[in-house]
């Protein structure tokens, strides 16, 4: 049936059908392949930034560990310290970071959530050290995100809780 139909076509018409069919195959192939190629290029372009983010985090890991391991002097042996949103807010005001806070609220039973959209990491580390020394606050959960194009500036979500006296 197809071979009969094909033989009835003039050579010029056959050439046009072959060319049109080839063009149609190329267009369909392009429509299927192009979005995948664009996504691959986008992901490949993100790799250097992600590697830079990883290197930045690794450079600051020791500082974060020091903050986590440092013992605060406030409170007696085995005595639980209290941490209130008011105390955290006061310490933020004292450090000048209160303008950068995007959330400050109780979290869980005794925790306090503090979030910053843009805060310089050194200032944040200093504030956490001062808060720990003053009230024994400990960071229970932390999520850091380095902001592209802003050296040393991070987006942070913290959950702070009262520490135990040492």
């Amino acid at each position: 049936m197809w071979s009969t139909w094909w033989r009835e076509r003039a050579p010029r018409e056959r050439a046009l059908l072959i060319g049109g069919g080839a063009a149609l195959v190329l267009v369909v192939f392009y429509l299927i392949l192009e979005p995948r190629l664009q996504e691959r290029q986008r992901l490949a372009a993100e790799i250097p930034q992600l590697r830079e983010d990883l290197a930045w985090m690794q450079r600051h890991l020791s500082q974060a560990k020091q903050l986590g391991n440092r013992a605060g002097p406030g409170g007696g042996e085995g005595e639980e310290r209290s941490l209130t949103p008011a105390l955290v807010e006061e310490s933020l005001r004292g450090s000048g970071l209160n303008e950068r806070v995007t959330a400050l609220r109780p979290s869980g039973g005794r925790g306090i959530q503090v979030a910053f959209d843009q805060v310089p990491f050194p200032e944040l580390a200093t504030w956490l050290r001062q808060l720990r020394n003053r009230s024994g606050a400990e960071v229970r959960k932390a999520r850091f995100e380095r902001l592209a194009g802003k050296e040393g500036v991070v987006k942070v979500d913290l959950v702070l809780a009262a520490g135990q006296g040492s």
Side-chain angles (χ1 to χ4, degrees), residues 126-145:
T126 300
W127 170 69
L128 286 170
R129 183 174 39 254
Q130 290 170 348
L131 182 63
R132 181 175 176 100
N133 289 340
R134 178 177 178 192
S135 67
E138 295 178 350
V139 177
R140 294 292 165 94
K141 292 182 185 176
R143 186 176 59 86
F144 290 85
E145 181 180 328

Side-chain angles (χ1 to χ4, degrees), residues 58-90:
Q58 288 172 336
R59 284 193 310 268
H60 292 88
L61 179 63
S62 63
Q63 188 176 9
K65 283 182 180 179
Q66 286 174 354
L67 288 173
N69 293 334
R70 191 169 292 168
E77 192 77 26
E79 173 186 323
E80 187 170 324
R81 303 166 185 168
S82 64
L83 183 67
T84 64
L87 179 68
V88 173
E89 191 171 6
E90 181 184 330

